Short mmCIF file of all heavy atoms in Angstrom, two decimals:
data_model
loop_
_atom_site.label_atom_id
_atom_site.label_comp_id
_atom_site.label_asym_id
_atom_site.label_seq_id
_atom_site.Cartn_x
_atom_site.Cartn_y
_atom_site.Cartn_z
N PRO C 555 -4.14 3.98 -19.18
CA PRO C 555 -5.50 3.76 -18.71
C PRO C 555 -6.03 4.88 -17.80
O PRO C 555 -7.21 5.20 -17.82
CB PRO C 555 -5.40 2.42 -17.95
CG PRO C 555 -4.27 1.71 -18.62
CD PRO C 555 -3.29 2.77 -18.99
N LEU C 556 -5.12 5.48 -17.00
CA LEU C 556 -5.56 6.58 -16.14
C LEU C 556 -6.03 7.78 -16.97
O LEU C 556 -6.86 8.57 -16.55
CB LEU C 556 -4.43 7.03 -15.20
CG LEU C 556 -4.09 6.08 -14.04
CD1 LEU C 556 -2.88 6.59 -13.27
CD2 LEU C 556 -5.27 5.90 -13.09
N LEU C 557 -5.46 7.91 -18.17
CA LEU C 557 -5.87 9.00 -19.06
C LEU C 557 -7.02 8.56 -19.97
O LEU C 557 -7.38 9.26 -20.91
CB LEU C 557 -4.68 9.47 -19.91
CG LEU C 557 -3.54 10.12 -19.11
CD1 LEU C 557 -2.35 10.42 -20.01
CD2 LEU C 557 -4.01 11.39 -18.41
N GLY C 558 -7.55 7.37 -19.71
CA GLY C 558 -8.71 6.90 -20.47
C GLY C 558 -8.33 6.18 -21.76
O GLY C 558 -9.17 5.99 -22.64
N GLU C 559 -7.05 5.83 -21.90
CA GLU C 559 -6.60 5.15 -23.12
C GLU C 559 -6.25 3.70 -22.81
O GLU C 559 -5.26 3.43 -22.15
CB GLU C 559 -5.36 5.86 -23.69
CG GLU C 559 -5.61 7.32 -24.03
CD GLU C 559 -4.31 8.11 -24.21
OE1 GLU C 559 -3.27 7.47 -24.45
OE2 GLU C 559 -4.36 9.34 -24.10
N GLY C 560 -7.09 2.77 -23.25
CA GLY C 560 -6.80 1.35 -23.02
C GLY C 560 -7.30 0.89 -21.65
O GLY C 560 -7.75 1.70 -20.83
N SER C 561 -7.19 -0.40 -21.44
CA SER C 561 -7.76 -1.01 -20.23
C SER C 561 -6.69 -1.38 -19.22
O SER C 561 -5.61 -1.85 -19.58
CB SER C 561 -8.54 -2.26 -20.64
OG SER C 561 -8.79 -3.06 -19.51
N LEU C 562 -7.03 -1.18 -17.95
CA LEU C 562 -6.11 -1.56 -16.87
C LEU C 562 -5.96 -3.08 -16.79
O LEU C 562 -4.91 -3.59 -16.37
CB LEU C 562 -6.65 -1.01 -15.54
CG LEU C 562 -5.65 -0.73 -14.42
CD1 LEU C 562 -4.50 0.15 -14.88
CD2 LEU C 562 -6.34 -0.09 -13.23
N LEU C 563 -6.99 -3.81 -17.24
CA LEU C 563 -6.92 -5.28 -17.23
C LEU C 563 -5.73 -5.78 -18.05
O LEU C 563 -5.11 -6.78 -17.72
CB LEU C 563 -8.22 -5.87 -17.81
CG LEU C 563 -9.41 -5.98 -16.86
CD1 LEU C 563 -10.69 -6.26 -17.63
CD2 LEU C 563 -9.20 -7.05 -15.80
N GLU C 564 -5.43 -5.04 -19.13
CA GLU C 564 -4.32 -5.45 -20.01
C GLU C 564 -2.95 -5.22 -19.36
O GLU C 564 -1.95 -5.74 -19.82
CB GLU C 564 -4.38 -4.66 -21.33
CG GLU C 564 -5.57 -5.03 -22.19
CD GLU C 564 -5.86 -3.96 -23.23
OE1 GLU C 564 -5.04 -3.04 -23.40
OE2 GLU C 564 -6.93 -4.05 -23.88
N LYS C 565 -2.92 -4.42 -18.30
CA LYS C 565 -1.64 -4.10 -17.64
C LYS C 565 -1.29 -5.09 -16.53
O LYS C 565 -0.20 -5.03 -15.97
CB LYS C 565 -1.69 -2.68 -17.04
CG LYS C 565 -2.02 -1.58 -18.05
CD LYS C 565 -0.94 -1.45 -19.09
CE LYS C 565 -1.24 -0.33 -20.08
NZ LYS C 565 -0.26 -0.30 -21.17
N ILE C 566 -2.23 -5.97 -16.19
CA ILE C 566 -1.99 -6.92 -15.10
C ILE C 566 -0.99 -7.99 -15.55
O ILE C 566 -1.16 -8.59 -16.60
CB ILE C 566 -3.31 -7.58 -14.65
CG1 ILE C 566 -4.26 -6.52 -14.07
CG2 ILE C 566 -3.05 -8.68 -13.61
CD1 ILE C 566 -5.65 -7.01 -13.78
N GLN C 567 0.04 -8.18 -14.74
CA GLN C 567 1.07 -9.19 -15.07
C GLN C 567 1.17 -10.21 -13.95
O GLN C 567 1.02 -9.87 -12.78
CB GLN C 567 2.43 -8.52 -15.21
CG GLN C 567 2.53 -7.55 -16.37
CD GLN C 567 3.96 -7.07 -16.57
OE1 GLN C 567 4.91 -7.71 -16.14
NE2 GLN C 567 4.11 -5.94 -17.21
N PRO C 568 1.46 -11.47 -14.31
CA PRO C 568 1.73 -12.45 -13.25
C PRO C 568 3.10 -12.16 -12.64
O PRO C 568 3.94 -11.52 -13.26
CB PRO C 568 1.75 -13.78 -14.01
CG PRO C 568 2.08 -13.43 -15.41
CD PRO C 568 1.57 -12.04 -15.65
N THR C 569 3.31 -12.60 -11.42
CA THR C 569 4.64 -12.51 -10.80
C THR C 569 5.18 -13.95 -10.66
O THR C 569 4.52 -14.89 -11.07
CB THR C 569 4.58 -11.88 -9.40
OG1 THR C 569 3.86 -12.77 -8.52
CG2 THR C 569 3.87 -10.52 -9.42
N ALA C 570 6.33 -14.09 -10.08
CA ALA C 570 6.91 -15.42 -9.88
C ALA C 570 6.19 -16.19 -8.78
O ALA C 570 6.51 -17.35 -8.51
CB ALA C 570 8.40 -15.28 -9.53
N TYR C 571 5.21 -15.54 -8.14
CA TYR C 571 4.57 -16.14 -6.96
C TYR C 571 3.10 -16.44 -7.25
O TYR C 571 2.38 -15.60 -7.80
CB TYR C 571 4.73 -15.19 -5.76
CG TYR C 571 6.16 -14.75 -5.65
CD1 TYR C 571 6.55 -13.47 -6.04
CD2 TYR C 571 7.15 -15.64 -5.21
CE1 TYR C 571 7.88 -13.08 -6.00
CE2 TYR C 571 8.49 -15.25 -5.16
CZ TYR C 571 8.84 -13.98 -5.57
OH TYR C 571 10.16 -13.61 -5.55
N GLU C 572 2.69 -17.61 -6.84
CA GLU C 572 1.32 -18.06 -7.09
C GLU C 572 0.29 -17.10 -6.48
O GLU C 572 0.49 -16.60 -5.36
CB GLU C 572 1.14 -19.45 -6.46
CG GLU C 572 0.34 -20.40 -7.31
CD GLU C 572 0.19 -21.76 -6.64
OE1 GLU C 572 1.11 -22.16 -5.90
OE2 GLU C 572 -0.85 -22.38 -6.85
N ARG C 573 -0.76 -16.85 -7.23
CA ARG C 573 -1.90 -16.01 -6.78
C ARG C 573 -1.54 -14.53 -6.61
O ARG C 573 -2.37 -13.77 -6.13
CB ARG C 573 -2.53 -16.56 -5.48
CG ARG C 573 -3.21 -17.91 -5.64
CD ARG C 573 -3.81 -18.38 -4.34
NE ARG C 573 -2.76 -18.63 -3.34
CZ ARG C 573 -2.06 -19.76 -3.27
NH1 ARG C 573 -2.30 -20.75 -4.10
NH2 ARG C 573 -1.11 -19.90 -2.36
N LEU C 574 -0.32 -14.14 -6.95
CA LEU C 574 0.07 -12.73 -6.79
C LEU C 574 0.32 -12.12 -8.16
O LEU C 574 1.22 -12.55 -8.90
CB LEU C 574 1.34 -12.63 -5.92
CG LEU C 574 1.89 -11.21 -5.69
CD1 LEU C 574 0.82 -10.27 -5.13
CD2 LEU C 574 3.08 -11.26 -4.73
N HIS C 575 -0.50 -11.13 -8.50
CA HIS C 575 -0.37 -10.42 -9.78
C HIS C 575 -0.01 -8.95 -9.51
O HIS C 575 -0.15 -8.48 -8.39
CB HIS C 575 -1.66 -10.51 -10.59
CG HIS C 575 -1.89 -11.85 -11.19
ND1 HIS C 575 -2.27 -12.94 -10.43
CD2 HIS C 575 -1.77 -12.30 -12.47
CE1 HIS C 575 -2.39 -14.01 -11.23
NE2 HIS C 575 -2.09 -13.64 -12.47
N MET C 576 0.38 -8.27 -10.57
CA MET C 576 0.84 -6.89 -10.38
C MET C 576 0.50 -6.01 -11.56
O MET C 576 0.52 -6.45 -12.72
CB MET C 576 2.35 -6.92 -10.18
CG MET C 576 2.97 -5.54 -10.11
SD MET C 576 4.56 -5.59 -9.29
CE MET C 576 4.36 -4.21 -8.18
N ILE C 577 0.17 -4.75 -11.27
CA ILE C 577 0.18 -3.70 -12.29
C ILE C 577 1.44 -2.90 -12.01
O ILE C 577 1.52 -2.19 -10.99
CB ILE C 577 -1.07 -2.79 -12.20
CG1 ILE C 577 -2.34 -3.59 -12.48
CG2 ILE C 577 -0.94 -1.63 -13.20
CD1 ILE C 577 -3.63 -2.83 -12.19
N PRO C 578 2.47 -3.05 -12.85
CA PRO C 578 3.76 -2.42 -12.54
C PRO C 578 3.73 -0.91 -12.75
O PRO C 578 2.79 -0.36 -13.32
CB PRO C 578 4.73 -3.09 -13.52
CG PRO C 578 3.88 -3.60 -14.63
CD PRO C 578 2.51 -3.82 -14.09
N SER C 579 4.79 -0.28 -12.29
CA SER C 579 4.96 1.15 -12.50
C SER C 579 6.21 1.38 -13.33
O SER C 579 7.00 0.46 -13.54
CB SER C 579 5.12 1.85 -11.14
OG SER C 579 5.45 3.21 -11.34
N GLU C 580 6.37 2.57 -13.82
CA GLU C 580 7.63 2.99 -14.44
C GLU C 580 7.63 4.51 -14.48
O GLU C 580 6.66 5.16 -14.11
CB GLU C 580 7.84 2.35 -15.81
CG GLU C 580 6.60 2.18 -16.64
CD GLU C 580 6.58 3.02 -17.88
OE1 GLU C 580 7.58 3.68 -18.19
OE2 GLU C 580 5.54 3.05 -18.54
N VAL C 581 8.73 5.05 -14.98
CA VAL C 581 8.97 6.49 -14.86
C VAL C 581 7.88 7.35 -15.50
O VAL C 581 7.62 8.47 -15.04
CB VAL C 581 10.35 6.84 -15.46
CG1 VAL C 581 10.55 8.34 -15.60
CG2 VAL C 581 11.44 6.27 -14.56
N ASP C 582 7.20 6.85 -16.54
CA ASP C 582 6.22 7.72 -17.21
C ASP C 582 5.07 8.15 -16.29
O ASP C 582 4.39 9.13 -16.54
CB ASP C 582 5.69 7.11 -18.51
CG ASP C 582 4.80 5.90 -18.31
OD1 ASP C 582 4.56 5.52 -17.14
OD2 ASP C 582 4.34 5.31 -19.31
N LEU C 583 4.88 7.43 -15.17
CA LEU C 583 3.84 7.84 -14.21
C LEU C 583 4.14 9.22 -13.61
O LEU C 583 3.24 9.86 -13.09
CB LEU C 583 3.71 6.81 -13.09
CG LEU C 583 2.66 5.71 -13.23
CD1 LEU C 583 2.61 4.86 -11.99
CD2 LEU C 583 1.27 6.25 -13.53
N CYS C 584 5.41 9.62 -13.65
CA CYS C 584 5.77 10.97 -13.15
C CYS C 584 4.93 12.04 -13.84
O CYS C 584 4.53 13.02 -13.22
CB CYS C 584 7.25 11.28 -13.44
SG CYS C 584 8.36 10.46 -12.33
N GLY C 585 4.67 11.83 -15.12
CA GLY C 585 3.89 12.83 -15.88
C GLY C 585 2.42 12.80 -15.58
O GLY C 585 1.68 13.72 -15.92
N ALA C 586 1.97 11.73 -14.92
CA ALA C 586 0.53 11.56 -14.71
C ALA C 586 -0.05 12.64 -13.81
O ALA C 586 -1.17 13.10 -14.02
CB ALA C 586 0.24 10.18 -14.15
N ASP C 587 0.71 13.05 -12.79
CA ASP C 587 0.22 14.10 -11.89
C ASP C 587 -0.17 15.35 -12.67
O ASP C 587 -1.22 15.94 -12.43
CB ASP C 587 1.30 14.45 -10.85
CG ASP C 587 1.02 13.77 -9.49
OD1 ASP C 587 0.02 13.05 -9.41
OD2 ASP C 587 1.80 13.98 -8.56
N ILE C 588 0.68 15.73 -13.62
CA ILE C 588 0.43 16.95 -14.40
C ILE C 588 -0.69 16.72 -15.41
O ILE C 588 -1.62 17.51 -15.53
CB ILE C 588 1.72 17.39 -15.13
CG1 ILE C 588 2.80 17.70 -14.09
CG2 ILE C 588 1.48 18.61 -16.01
CD1 ILE C 588 4.20 17.63 -14.60
N GLU C 589 -0.61 15.59 -16.12
CA GLU C 589 -1.63 15.28 -17.14
C GLU C 589 -3.02 15.14 -16.52
O GLU C 589 -4.00 15.64 -17.06
CB GLU C 589 -1.27 13.95 -17.84
CG GLU C 589 -0.01 14.02 -18.68
CD GLU C 589 -0.24 14.64 -20.05
OE1 GLU C 589 -1.41 14.80 -20.43
OE2 GLU C 589 0.76 14.98 -20.70
N LEU C 590 -3.10 14.43 -15.38
CA LEU C 590 -4.41 14.19 -14.77
C LEU C 590 -5.06 15.48 -14.30
O LEU C 590 -6.28 15.60 -14.32
CB LEU C 590 -4.27 13.21 -13.59
CG LEU C 590 -4.00 11.75 -13.95
CD1 LEU C 590 -3.75 10.93 -12.69
CD2 LEU C 590 -5.17 11.15 -14.72
N ALA C 591 -4.23 16.42 -13.87
CA ALA C 591 -4.78 17.69 -13.38
C ALA C 591 -5.59 18.41 -14.45
O ALA C 591 -6.48 19.20 -14.14
CB ALA C 591 -3.64 18.58 -12.89
N ARG C 592 -5.30 18.10 -15.70
CA ARG C 592 -6.00 18.79 -16.81
C ARG C 592 -7.26 18.05 -17.25
O ARG C 592 -7.95 18.49 -18.15
CB ARG C 592 -5.07 18.88 -18.03
CG ARG C 592 -3.76 19.59 -17.78
CD ARG C 592 -3.06 19.80 -19.12
NE ARG C 592 -1.72 20.32 -18.92
CZ ARG C 592 -0.63 19.75 -19.39
NH1 ARG C 592 -0.72 18.66 -20.13
NH2 ARG C 592 0.56 20.28 -19.18
N THR C 593 -7.50 16.89 -16.66
CA THR C 593 -8.65 16.09 -17.13
C THR C 593 -9.88 16.33 -16.26
O THR C 593 -9.79 16.80 -15.14
CB THR C 593 -8.31 14.58 -17.10
OG1 THR C 593 -8.05 14.21 -15.74
CG2 THR C 593 -7.12 14.25 -17.98
N GLU C 594 -11.02 15.95 -16.81
CA GLU C 594 -12.27 16.00 -16.04
C GLU C 594 -12.25 14.91 -14.98
O GLU C 594 -11.66 13.85 -15.20
CB GLU C 594 -13.45 15.74 -16.99
CG GLU C 594 -14.07 16.99 -17.56
CD GLU C 594 -15.26 16.63 -18.42
OE1 GLU C 594 -16.33 16.35 -17.84
OE2 GLU C 594 -15.09 16.58 -19.64
N ASN C 595 -12.92 15.15 -13.87
CA ASN C 595 -12.97 14.14 -12.79
C ASN C 595 -11.58 13.60 -12.48
O ASN C 595 -11.39 12.39 -12.34
CB ASN C 595 -13.88 12.96 -13.19
CG ASN C 595 -15.33 13.38 -13.37
OD1 ASN C 595 -15.74 14.37 -12.77
ND2 ASN C 595 -16.06 12.67 -14.18
N HIS C 596 -10.62 14.49 -12.35
CA HIS C 596 -9.22 14.04 -12.26
C HIS C 596 -8.93 13.19 -11.01
O HIS C 596 -7.99 12.43 -10.99
CB HIS C 596 -8.25 15.23 -12.33
CG HIS C 596 -8.39 16.20 -11.20
ND1 HIS C 596 -9.37 17.15 -11.16
CD2 HIS C 596 -7.67 16.34 -10.06
CE1 HIS C 596 -9.26 17.85 -10.04
NE2 HIS C 596 -8.24 17.39 -9.36
N LEU C 597 -9.78 13.29 -9.98
CA LEU C 597 -9.55 12.49 -8.78
C LEU C 597 -10.15 11.08 -8.90
O LEU C 597 -9.86 10.21 -8.08
CB LEU C 597 -10.14 13.17 -7.54
CG LEU C 597 -9.46 14.47 -7.10
CD1 LEU C 597 -10.11 15.02 -5.85
CD2 LEU C 597 -7.96 14.27 -6.86
N LEU C 598 -10.98 10.88 -9.93
CA LEU C 598 -11.70 9.60 -10.03
C LEU C 598 -11.12 8.68 -11.10
O LEU C 598 -11.70 7.63 -11.40
CB LEU C 598 -13.18 9.86 -10.33
CG LEU C 598 -13.93 10.68 -9.27
CD1 LEU C 598 -15.36 10.93 -9.71
CD2 LEU C 598 -13.91 9.96 -7.92
N ARG C 599 -9.98 9.05 -11.67
CA ARG C 599 -9.43 8.29 -12.79
C ARG C 599 -9.04 6.87 -12.40
O ARG C 599 -9.28 5.92 -13.13
CB ARG C 599 -8.24 9.03 -13.38
CG ARG C 599 -8.63 10.30 -14.14
CD ARG C 599 -9.69 9.95 -15.19
NE ARG C 599 -10.12 11.07 -15.97
CZ ARG C 599 -10.06 11.10 -17.31
NH1 ARG C 599 -9.56 10.08 -17.97
NH2 ARG C 599 -10.52 12.13 -17.96
N ALA C 600 -8.41 6.70 -11.24
CA ALA C 600 -7.99 5.36 -10.82
C ALA C 600 -9.22 4.49 -10.52
O ALA C 600 -9.27 3.31 -10.87
CB ALA C 600 -7.07 5.43 -9.60
N ARG C 601 -10.23 5.12 -9.89
CA ARG C 601 -11.44 4.34 -9.58
C ARG C 601 -12.12 3.85 -10.86
O ARG C 601 -12.52 2.70 -10.97
CB ARG C 601 -12.43 5.17 -8.77
CG ARG C 601 -13.63 4.33 -8.33
CD ARG C 601 -14.82 5.15 -7.94
NE ARG C 601 -14.56 5.94 -6.76
CZ ARG C 601 -15.43 6.80 -6.23
NH1 ARG C 601 -16.61 6.96 -6.80
NH2 ARG C 601 -15.14 7.49 -5.16
N GLN C 602 -12.21 4.75 -11.84
CA GLN C 602 -12.84 4.38 -13.12
C GLN C 602 -12.03 3.29 -13.82
O GLN C 602 -12.59 2.33 -14.36
CB GLN C 602 -12.98 5.61 -14.01
CG GLN C 602 -14.04 6.59 -13.52
CD GLN C 602 -13.88 8.00 -14.12
OE1 GLN C 602 -12.91 8.30 -14.81
NE2 GLN C 602 -14.85 8.87 -13.84
N ALA C 603 -10.70 3.44 -13.80
CA ALA C 603 -9.83 2.46 -14.47
C ALA C 603 -9.90 1.09 -13.79
O ALA C 603 -9.79 0.04 -14.44
CB ALA C 603 -8.39 2.96 -14.51
N LEU C 604 -10.09 1.10 -12.47
CA LEU C 604 -10.14 -0.16 -11.71
C LEU C 604 -11.48 -0.89 -11.85
O LEU C 604 -11.57 -2.07 -11.53
CB LEU C 604 -9.88 0.10 -10.22
CG LEU C 604 -8.42 0.07 -9.75
CD1 LEU C 604 -8.31 0.57 -8.31
CD2 LEU C 604 -7.82 -1.33 -9.87
N GLN C 605 -12.52 -0.17 -12.32
CA GLN C 605 -13.86 -0.76 -12.36
C GLN C 605 -13.91 -2.10 -13.10
O GLN C 605 -14.43 -3.09 -12.56
CB GLN C 605 -14.85 0.25 -12.98
CG GLN C 605 -16.30 0.09 -12.54
CD GLN C 605 -16.48 -0.11 -11.03
OE1 GLN C 605 -15.93 0.61 -10.23
NE2 GLN C 605 -17.25 -1.13 -10.67
N PRO C 606 -13.34 -2.20 -14.32
CA PRO C 606 -13.37 -3.50 -15.01
C PRO C 606 -12.60 -4.59 -14.26
O PRO C 606 -12.97 -5.77 -14.33
CB PRO C 606 -12.67 -3.21 -16.36
CG PRO C 606 -12.72 -1.73 -16.52
CD PRO C 606 -12.73 -1.15 -15.15
N VAL C 607 -11.56 -4.20 -13.53
CA VAL C 607 -10.79 -5.17 -12.74
C VAL C 607 -11.67 -5.71 -11.60
O VAL C 607 -11.71 -6.91 -11.33
CB VAL C 607 -9.49 -4.54 -12.17
CG1 VAL C 607 -8.70 -5.56 -11.37
CG2 VAL C 607 -8.64 -3.95 -13.28
N LEU C 608 -12.39 -4.80 -10.95
CA LEU C 608 -13.30 -5.21 -9.87
C LEU C 608 -14.41 -6.10 -10.42
O LEU C 608 -14.78 -7.11 -9.82
CB LEU C 608 -13.89 -3.98 -9.17
CG LEU C 608 -12.90 -3.10 -8.41
CD1 LEU C 608 -13.57 -1.81 -7.96
CD2 LEU C 608 -12.33 -3.83 -7.19
N GLU C 609 -14.94 -5.71 -11.58
CA GLU C 609 -16.04 -6.48 -12.18
C GLU C 609 -15.60 -7.87 -12.63
O GLU C 609 -16.41 -8.79 -12.69
CB GLU C 609 -16.65 -5.70 -13.36
CG GLU C 609 -17.51 -4.54 -12.89
CD GLU C 609 -17.83 -3.53 -14.00
OE1 GLU C 609 -17.49 -3.82 -15.18
OE2 GLU C 609 -18.39 -2.46 -13.69
N SER C 610 -14.32 -8.01 -12.94
CA SER C 610 -13.81 -9.32 -13.36
C SER C 610 -13.81 -10.33 -12.21
O SER C 610 -13.73 -11.53 -12.43
CB SER C 610 -12.39 -9.19 -13.92
OG SER C 610 -11.45 -9.02 -12.86
N ALA C 611 -13.87 -9.81 -10.98
CA ALA C 611 -13.91 -10.65 -9.75
C ALA C 611 -12.75 -11.65 -9.69
O ALA C 611 -12.89 -12.73 -9.14
CB ALA C 611 -15.26 -11.36 -9.64
N ARG C 612 -11.62 -11.27 -10.26
CA ARG C 612 -10.44 -12.17 -10.26
C ARG C 612 -9.70 -12.14 -8.93
O ARG C 612 -8.96 -13.06 -8.61
CB ARG C 612 -9.46 -11.73 -11.36
CG ARG C 612 -9.83 -12.18 -12.74
CD ARG C 612 -8.88 -11.62 -13.77
NE ARG C 612 -7.49 -12.05 -13.56
CZ ARG C 612 -6.46 -11.59 -14.29
NH1 ARG C 612 -6.68 -10.71 -15.25
NH2 ARG C 612 -5.24 -12.01 -14.04
N PHE C 613 -9.88 -11.04 -8.18
CA PHE C 613 -9.03 -10.84 -6.99
C PHE C 613 -9.87 -10.70 -5.72
O PHE C 613 -10.95 -10.12 -5.75
CB PHE C 613 -8.16 -9.60 -7.19
CG PHE C 613 -7.27 -9.70 -8.40
CD1 PHE C 613 -7.59 -9.04 -9.57
CD2 PHE C 613 -6.13 -10.50 -8.39
CE1 PHE C 613 -6.80 -9.16 -10.70
CE2 PHE C 613 -5.33 -10.63 -9.51
CZ PHE C 613 -5.66 -9.95 -10.68
N ASP C 614 -9.31 -11.21 -4.64
CA ASP C 614 -9.92 -10.98 -3.32
C ASP C 614 -9.49 -9.63 -2.76
O ASP C 614 -10.22 -8.99 -2.01
CB ASP C 614 -9.48 -12.08 -2.34
CG ASP C 614 -9.88 -13.47 -2.81
OD1 ASP C 614 -11.10 -13.69 -2.99
OD2 ASP C 614 -8.99 -14.32 -3.03
N LEU C 615 -8.27 -9.23 -3.14
CA LEU C 615 -7.68 -8.03 -2.55
C LEU C 615 -6.85 -7.28 -3.59
O LEU C 615 -6.09 -7.89 -4.35
CB LEU C 615 -6.76 -8.43 -1.38
CG LEU C 615 -5.88 -7.33 -0.77
CD1 LEU C 615 -6.74 -6.31 -0.02
CD2 LEU C 615 -4.85 -7.94 0.19
N ILE C 616 -7.03 -5.95 -3.62
CA ILE C 616 -6.15 -5.09 -4.42
C ILE C 616 -5.44 -4.15 -3.45
O ILE C 616 -6.10 -3.42 -2.69
CB ILE C 616 -6.94 -4.27 -5.47
CG1 ILE C 616 -7.64 -5.20 -6.46
CG2 ILE C 616 -6.01 -3.30 -6.20
CD1 ILE C 616 -8.58 -4.50 -7.43
N LEU C 617 -4.12 -4.21 -3.43
CA LEU C 617 -3.31 -3.31 -2.60
C LEU C 617 -2.68 -2.27 -3.51
O LEU C 617 -2.05 -2.62 -4.51
CB LEU C 617 -2.19 -4.07 -1.89
CG LEU C 617 -2.50 -4.82 -0.59
CD1 LEU C 617 -1.24 -5.52 -0.09
CD2 LEU C 617 -3.04 -3.89 0.49
#
Side-chain angles (χ1 to χ4, degrees):
L556 287 175
L557 295 174
E559 301 164 20
S561 164
L562 206 52
L563 278 166
E564 292 161 10
K565 303 296 181 186
I566 297 172
Q567 295 188 21
T569 66
Y571 311 104
E572 220 180 329
R573 294 180 295 277
L574 179 54
H575 286 73
M576 174 159 227
I577 297 171
S579 173
E580 37 113 6
V581 170
D582 70 0
L583 266 184
C584 283
D587 260 1
I588 299 158
E589 293 279 348
L590 287 174
R592 302 189 188 124
T593 62
E594 266 183 79
N595 296 335
H596 63 280
L597 292 182
L598 299 177
R599 289 306 181 124
R601 185 199 294 178
Q602 289 162 353
L604 272 171
Q605 206 46 48
V607 181
L608 294 171
E609 285 165 7
S610 75
R612 280 176 61 186
F613 301 102
D614 300 301
L615 171 69
I616 298 173
L617 278 179

